[in-house]
Amino acid sequence: MRSFDYARADTAQAAVAQGHGRATKFIAGGTNLLDLMKLEIETPEKLVDISRLDLKGIEDTDAGGLSIGALVLNSDLAEDHRVRAHYPVLARALLAGASAQLRNKATTGGNLLQRTRCNYFYDTVAPCNKRQPGAGCSALGGFTRNHAILGTSDHCIATHPSDMAVAMRALDATIVTLKADGEARRIAIADFYRLPGRFPHLETVLEPGELITHVELPPPPKGLQLYRKVRDRASYAFALVSVAGVISIENGKIASAALAFGGVAPLPWRDARAEAALIGEAPSTAAFEAAADALLADAKGFGANDFKIPLTRRTLIACLRELTAGESA
């Protein structure tokens, strides 16, 4: 690990004042950043410690939702009675995401910003556009079993690792930030992450020195919620495919549908075409297949991850059957 400067911030304003510049990183739990620094993938010249900021609360909002501080631990968020009662998809995603030891250290803001677990990204000898722009992508033509089938580019096929972010995508969360100039900003999670395109090292729309302060959830959605994660082993593994689903049914037909996917794309994936294929339809195998067709219309495998396409189809259909149990034809 290379040497770096260290500063401790007592307020969010002090943090952003010290955090401007691309060579500076904020640190709280550090469950991902410290590993990246040890491997010299991340080489910040300065760390700003934000772990003592007053961003650890979970509060009801005037709109009927929840405001979650960026420093709320994953374990505390999963165990909050309001989250468990009204946003069970989020609680289940958090519990599926990591060991208890990691959940007791990892924060909400850090979870949103964790970086890919692509083997080539972690191998500093292998060319990687995400780690070193313009170097090339070793995954293309390499071992691709854990890589993306949606939203890829000729420059990167890595997946986003977060479970929590997938659930928040299905819930239409809003990310609240403080910019380096002291201005607050609200970013819909749908607009927060970037597709790789030609510049896979640019993963979010955050500006240098911009700090996540809160995540806001809208009022609890109608209907049933589900989170299902398919992985290589029963626990402590990243998703091959995951689904966060929220479905409501009125008069025997699907009235609303929110479906987000992990393990298959460079960001928490959501496809309006798949949801539209369900709206107004009676729950049935035909409707579920139509949603899967829409979701996977542009899917592309890269050899060892070709299996993810039928696996995503089967997982989605199984989730839709569970979410509409008692209503399906």
Side-chain angles (χ1 to χ4, degrees), residues 167-190:
M168 287 190 169
R169 182 73 181 87
L171 293 169
D172 290 316
T174 297
I175 297 164
V176 184
T177 70
L178 188 66
K179 296 171 66 176
D181 61 5
E183 179 185 352
R185 182 157 69 133
R186 297 172 59 82
I187 309 167
I189 194 168

Side-chain angles (χ1 to χ4, degrees), residues 2-14:
R2 300 184 187 183
S3 62
F4 55 88
D5 293 331
Y6 171 87
R8 181 182 298 171
D10 296 321
T11 66
Q13 290 74 17

